[in-house]
């Protein structure tokens, strides 16, 4: 009996997500060829289009396997299938050229050199042996070389490097892992390294292998070398050489802020820091961020110079992520050289990272002894990302940049085409349309023209790559912010101004996919945020959704002597806190001893008369004040220095002492702040709130200090006191409103001890706790909240 003839079927499949520049088309080609199917695959402006034809069972197998094992850098966010008429085609499955049509695709972030490329780099028999720009479809630069979309070589900074015949064959072969890898090159046709010494150094300029060898020798000799990476320049020196580190710190005007270090390999990293399995996974991931780790102490580990991370039990550590880094740290058989390098952003403190070669020679003059550079331009600056790993293995990103940008975030609600400009510290913009949002790279502070220019370039680059044309701008309410004034100059009409702490809470809500139909209890603790009443907020508990908020609790305000400029003097903040609490400035108190007699007299007059003293409820400022009161930090050389030193001290006593200083609670009616919002049916909004009064905390702390209680114990009891008052107020809010979801946000919750203790207390009380993950809790995540509040307004109006 003759078997029935099976008619071929044809299926059209559209794949959305990060599916271009990652080897997705060769993957589809191999899958279809393995099943002997005909058809084609093509890049489009919206993703990847596939038409596949053959026996029904084989077509079903193809569709089922399509997303099982995609290429390492691919992220599939949606697949659409439809049956179309079979054509009767019998030829081989083909890869068609990219369609040039309007639409939007997703460009992958820059990623670390893959294992295959690292093997080639170290193989003397490979034609890419020691090639500083070895890359393939599975690794290397993407975002930082893209100059337009669709992502093809002419729209990258590799356009000026014509491929040699050997590279062209690999580029055109679907079976090769370099098929359509836009940065593909080799020593015959790719970018070249150069070593440019500072005048008078006594070193001659060099190219290629000699440039690398000279740079390594300079580092071994204690020199500072500016190294051009994929997203900008770094300043590097031997992290074990005390004189070299001190020189770099002095030249960069770094103050006491810690440096990050790059270890040659994981084995070396294990000798510098204590690593959990989750931290090891974060370090070795394709993103290769800086990971905050507990330091090993000699003689167990590598002895870093004291000035790498002074007064800190932690170190920020990363592994090489470019071939240049790998070669600079040395391959087996190379002459001895440093195995741990300080690797800090190539800039003067407070400025954006340098990317332009000519600019590097001028802006980094006096900082670097030599420049290890190359001739592949950087299309967009992209600083290193920074994260910490929690005890439960989850990650908290503190700076979202290289390895993450421009990967989109899925939004819980559609937004109008909106550009949010973020804040003036840790600036990162956010662009959104529909159900997607794109963060720009970390810019840093907008206190000078260089920062503002970098923000403008980031906006142009991101709009170019995403295809989003913003119709609306969103910004912080602070009238003096450069980011707010910039939003007004974008030509998008009057920007939507979003209250700082409302934006923080909305950012966390969006990251966790909340649609805003039910408000949350938002705990927003930071140092500075412009309040509705014109004062400085920062110790806030709000009831909030995307449409509005009500201020439920605040830290009792205290004067901020000198306004924002006074933040650099924690000793003055401490004395202002004592004054507000009615506590005396006793002789011998560390904060009193840190001030001159003239300074004390002027400060007393300021406080008495209210001169240049803006009230602040900032929790970050209370941490600064306590740091000074216990004798840790009286003058801050960088942002959050006092609070970081307080946390470091508390860590050493955390397991030994479980005490907590009590806050006072004062019921208040009309504590001020809030906007009209859409209330959930059946839920009450409290008319009154509470004030968290730190006066009892300060009295107890001073009493313990008089008893010579160790500073770490004082610090630990303060941290636990803050966590307990938050948990207490959230429980009372649940009793009043029935709300059970608590969001922890703001820069203060980058404090690991505080965040862990607060979350544990809330969870034990039966509350649902949402903490930041990929979106930073500090001002680096602010723009996402601005985007959600401004961009969803039209959505809510239509409900």
């Amino acid at each position: 009996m003759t078997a029935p003839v099976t008619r071929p079927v044809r299926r059209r499949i559209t794949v959305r997500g990060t599916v271009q520049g990652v080897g997705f088309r060769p993957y589809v080609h191999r899958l279809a060829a393995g099943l002997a199917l005909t058809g084609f695959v093509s890049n489009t402006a919206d993703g990847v289009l596939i038409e596949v034809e053959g026996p029904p069972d084989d077509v079903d197998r193809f569709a089922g396997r399509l997303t099982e094992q995609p290429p390492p850098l691919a992220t599939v966010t949606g697949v659409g299938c439809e049956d179309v008429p079979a054509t009767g085609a019998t030829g081989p499955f083909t890869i068609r050229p990219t369609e040039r049509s309007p639409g939007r695709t997703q460009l992958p972030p820059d990623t670390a050199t893959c294992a295959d490329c690292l093997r080639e780099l170290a193989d003397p028999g490979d034609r890419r042996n020691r090639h500083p720009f070895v890359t393939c479809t599975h690794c290397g630069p993407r975002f930082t070389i893209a100059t337009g979309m669709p992502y093809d070589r002419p729209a990258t900074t590799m356009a000026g490097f014509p491929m040699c015949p050997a590279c062209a064959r690999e580029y055109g072969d679907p079976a090769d892992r370099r098929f359509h890898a836009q940065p593909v090159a080799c020593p015959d046709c790719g970018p070249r390294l150069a070593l440019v010494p500072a005048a008078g150094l006594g070193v001659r300029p060099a190219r290629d292998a000699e440039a690398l060898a000279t740079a390594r020798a300079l580092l071994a000799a204690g020199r500072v070398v500016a190294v051009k990476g994929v997203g900008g320049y770094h300043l590097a020196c031997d992290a074990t050489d005390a004189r070299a580190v001190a020189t770099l710190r002095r030249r960069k005007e770094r103050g006491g802020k810690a440096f990050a270090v790059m270890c040659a390999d994981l084995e070396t990293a294990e000798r510098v820091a204590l690593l959990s399995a989750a931290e090891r996974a974060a370090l070795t991931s394709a993103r290769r961020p800086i990971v905050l780790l507990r330091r090993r102490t000699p003689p167990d580990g590598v002895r870093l110079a004291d000035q790498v991370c002074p007064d800190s039990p932690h170190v920020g550590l990363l592994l090489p992520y470019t071939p240049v880094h790998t070669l600079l740290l040395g391959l087996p058989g190379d002459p001895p050289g440093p195995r741990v390098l300080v690797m800090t952003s190539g800039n003067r403190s407070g400025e954006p990272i340098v990317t332009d070669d000519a600019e590097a020679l001028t802006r980094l003059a006096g900082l670097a002894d030599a420049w290890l550079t190359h001739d592949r331009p950087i299309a967009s600056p992209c600083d290193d990302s920074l994260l910490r790993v929690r005890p439960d293995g989850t990650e908290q990103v503190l700076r979202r940049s290289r390895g993450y940008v421009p990967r989109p975030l899925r939004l819980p609600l559609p937004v109008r085409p909106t550009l949010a400009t973020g804040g003036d510290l840790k600036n990162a913009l956010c662009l959104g349309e529909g159900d997607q949002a794109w963060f720009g790279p970390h810019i840093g502070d907008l206190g000078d023209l260089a920062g503002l220019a970098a923000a403008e370039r980031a906006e142009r680059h991101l709009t170019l790559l995403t295809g989003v044309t913003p119709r609306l701008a969103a910004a912080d309410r602070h009238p003096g912010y450069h980011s707010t004034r910039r939003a007004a100059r974008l030509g998008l009409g009057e920007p939507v101004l979003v209250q700082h702490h409302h934006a923080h809470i909305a950012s966390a809500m969006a990251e966790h996919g909340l649609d805003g139909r039910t408000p949350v209890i938002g705990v927003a603790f930071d140092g500075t945020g412009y309040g509705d009443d014109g004062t400085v907020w920062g110790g806030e508990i709000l009831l909030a959704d995307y449409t509005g908020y009500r201020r439920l609790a605040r830290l009792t305000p205290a004067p901020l002597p000198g306004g924002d400029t006074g933040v650099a003097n924690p000793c003055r903040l401490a004395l202002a806190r004592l004054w507000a609490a009615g506590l005396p400035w006793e002789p011998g108190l560390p904060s009193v001893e840190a001030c001159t007699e003239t300074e004390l007299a002027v400060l007393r007059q300021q406080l008495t008369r209210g001169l240049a003293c803006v009230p602040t409820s900032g929790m970050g400022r209370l941490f600064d004040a306590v740091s000074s009161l216990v004798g840790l930090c009286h003058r801050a050389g960088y942002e959050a220095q006092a609070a970081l030193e307080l946390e470091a001290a508390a860590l050493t006593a955390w397991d030994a002492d479980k005490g907590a200083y009590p806050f006072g609670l004062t019921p208040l009616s009309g504590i001020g702040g809030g906007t009209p919002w859409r209330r959930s049916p059946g839920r009450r909004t409290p008319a009154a709130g509470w004030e968290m009064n730190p006066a009892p905390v300060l009295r107890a702390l001073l009493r313990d200090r008089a008893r010579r209680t160790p500073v770490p114990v004082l610090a630990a009891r303060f941290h636990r006191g803050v966590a307990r008052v938050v948990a207490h107020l959230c429980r009372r809010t649940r009793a009043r409103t029935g709300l059970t979801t608590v969001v922890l946000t703001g820069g203060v919750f980058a404090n690991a001890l505080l965040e862990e203790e607060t979350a544990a207390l809330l969870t034990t009380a039966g509350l649902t706790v949402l903490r930041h993950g990929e979106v930073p809790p500090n001002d680096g995540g602010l723009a996402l909240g601005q985007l959600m509040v401004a961009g969803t307004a039209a959505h809510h109006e239509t409900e």
Side-chain angles (χ1 to χ4, degrees), residues 445-494:
D445 298 349
L446 301 185
D448 57 23
L449 291 176
L452 291 170
E456 291 175 3
R457 289 195 300 270
E459 179 226 320
R460 290 195 298 269
H461 194 233
L462 198 60
T463 54
L464 181 69
L465 297 187
T466 62
V468 175
T469 302
R471 310 268 182 212
L472 181 70
D476 194 273
R477 280 191 192 165
H478 196 302
Y481 270 10
H482 296 289
S483 53
T484 302
R485 292 199 287 265
R486 167 157 168 68
R489 296 195 301 268
L490 289 173
L492 302 175
E494 194 69 24

Side-chain angles (χ1 to χ4, degrees), residues 690-756:
W690 299 279
E691 198 166 76
M692 298 172 279
N693 188 351
V697 172
L698 301 177
R699 281 195 293 269
L701 185 148
L702 295 178
R703 186 170 58 247
D704 278 353
R705 185 184 173 279
R707 295 170 178 163
R708 300 188 182 279
T709 302
V711 168
V713 174
L714 303 178
R717 290 176 180 176
F718 171 71
H719 277 74
R720 283 200 164 93
V722 175
R724 289 188 185 183
V725 74
V726 169
H728 178 77
L729 286 174
C730 290
R731 290 196 304 270
R732 292 181 70 167
T733 301
R734 176 180 58 187
R736 281 192 183 189
T737 66
L739 298 174
T740 60
T741 299
V742 180
V743 164
L744 302 181
T745 187
V748 169
F749 283 109
N751 181 316
L753 289 180
L754 179 67
E755 194 208 40
E756 288 298 323

Side-chain angles (χ1 to χ4, degrees), residues 143-336:
F143 173 71
T144 55
I145 64 169
T147 58
M149 293 299 284
Y151 177 66
D152 283 326
R153 195 173 180 103
T156 72
T157 59
M158 289 296 295
F161 299 94
M163 284 180 279
C164 67
C167 286
R169 281 194 299 272
E170 294 169 333
Y171 183 86
D173 181 1
D176 195 285
R177 81 173 199 280
R178 291 191 168 90
F179 177 75
H180 277 240
Q182 308 309 338
V184 67
C186 73
D188 294 332
C189 63
R192 298 183 64 187
L193 287 177
L195 190 284
V196 181
L201 188 64
V203 173
R204 69 180 187 183
R207 300 293 299 269
D208 303 324
E210 185 185 354
L212 267 167
T214 305
R216 291 186 72 237
L218 288 171
L219 291 168
R223 296 292 188 173
V224 176
V225 178
V227 181
K228 185 178 181 181
V230 294
Y233 277 83
H234 286 98
L235 292 168
C237 71
D238 183 350
T240 66
D241 185 329
R243 182 176 296 178
V245 176
T247 297
L248 176 55
R249 185 171 291 283
R250 184 185 70 252
R251 291 177 181 178
K252 192 174 161 79
E253 300 175 354
R254 182 78 170 184
K257 191 174 183 179
F259 285 125
V261 300
M262 178 179 283
C263 293
D265 48 38
L266 190 58
E267 180 183 358
T268 305
E270 296 269 14
R271 296 176 58 217
V272 172
L274 300 165
L275 298 180
S276 67
E279 288 167 336
R280 197 175 292 109
L283 268 180
T284 57
S285 71
R287 300 188 308 269
R288 291 292 165 92
I290 300 170
V291 181
L292 286 178
L293 302 167
R294 287 293 298 275
R295 294 169 61 183
R296 283 190 183 273
T297 54
D300 293 339
V302 173
R303 183 176 184 85
L304 300 178
D306 291 340
Q307 289 204 45
V308 170
C309 36
D311 303 317
S312 175
H314 295 93
V315 60
L317 191 150
L318 77 164
L319 295 177
Y321 56 87
T322 73
V324 171
H325 295 143
T326 301
L327 294 168
L328 189 62
L329 285 157
L331 294 177
D334 282 342

Side-chain angles (χ1 to χ4, degrees), residues 510-755:
E511 182 178 7
H512 284 277
L514 301 188
D515 63 10
R517 294 181 184 277
T518 301
V520 299
I521 305 168
V523 184
F525 286 176
D526 59 10
T528 300
Y530 189 76
D532 293 344
D533 53 6
T535 67
V536 178
W537 289 10
E540 317 307 317
I541 300 181
L542 310 179
L543 298 182
D545 59 17
Y546 298 123
T547 67
Y549 61 94
R550 282 285 181 268
R551 195 182 191 197
L552 179 67
R554 72 176 180 192
L555 184 68
T556 300
L560 179 60
D564 288 344
T565 59
V567 173
N569 297 285
C571 54
R572 298 181 192 172
L573 302 177
L575 297 178
R577 265 292 164 195
L578 293 180
W579 184 86
L583 297 173
W585 297 356
E586 295 181 350
L589 195 63
S591 305
V592 173
E593 296 296 313
C595 296
T596 65
E597 288 298 327
T598 301
E599 192 175 7
L600 289 171
V602 171
L603 180 59
R604 197 180 298 275
Q605 280 206 343
Q606 274 188 285
L607 295 171
T608 302
R609 299 181 181 180
L611 299 174
C613 287
V614 180
T616 177
S617 60
M619 186 62 76
R621 300 290 79 85
L622 180 62
F623 272 75
D624 293 345
V626 171
S627 183
S628 175
L629 287 172
V630 302
L632 288 173
C633 180
H634 305 301
R635 312 288 181 182
Y638 59 91
E639 186 195 3
Q641 178 181 351
L644 286 170
E645 292 184 12
L646 188 68
E647 180 188 4
L651 181 63
T652 64
W654 194 252
D655 295 328
D657 186 271
K658 302 297 182 182
Y661 292 135
F663 279 76
L665 283 180
T666 306
L668 291 177
S669 58
I671 60 175
T675 56
W677 65 332
R678 182 173 47 80
R679 294 176 177 81
S680 299
R683 296 193 185 274
R684 295 186 298 112
T685 301
W690 299 279
E691 198 166 76
M692 298 172 279
N693 188 351
V697 172
L698 301 177
R699 281 195 293 269
L701 185 148
L702 295 178
R703 186 170 58 247
D704 278 353
R705 185 184 173 279
R707 295 170 178 163
R708 300 188 182 279
T709 302
V711 168
V713 174
L714 303 178
R717 290 176 180 176
F718 171 71
H719 277 74
R720 283 200 164 93
V722 175
R724 289 188 185 183
V725 74
V726 169
H728 178 77
L729 286 174
C730 290
R731 290 196 304 270
R732 292 181 70 167
T733 301
R734 176 180 58 187
R736 281 192 183 189
T737 66
L739 298 174
T740 60
T741 299
V742 180
V743 164
L744 302 181
T745 187
V748 169
F749 283 109
N751 181 316
L753 289 180
L754 179 67
E755 194 208 40

Side-chain angles (χ1 to χ4, degrees), residues 339-361:
R339 301 295 285 169
V340 186
L341 296 174
V342 167
M343 195 66 75
T344 187
S345 299
N347 53 14
R348 296 186 186 273
S349 291
E351 295 181 353
I353 190 169
V354 176
T355 58
D356 180 76
D357 298 330
E359 190 178 2
L361 293 173

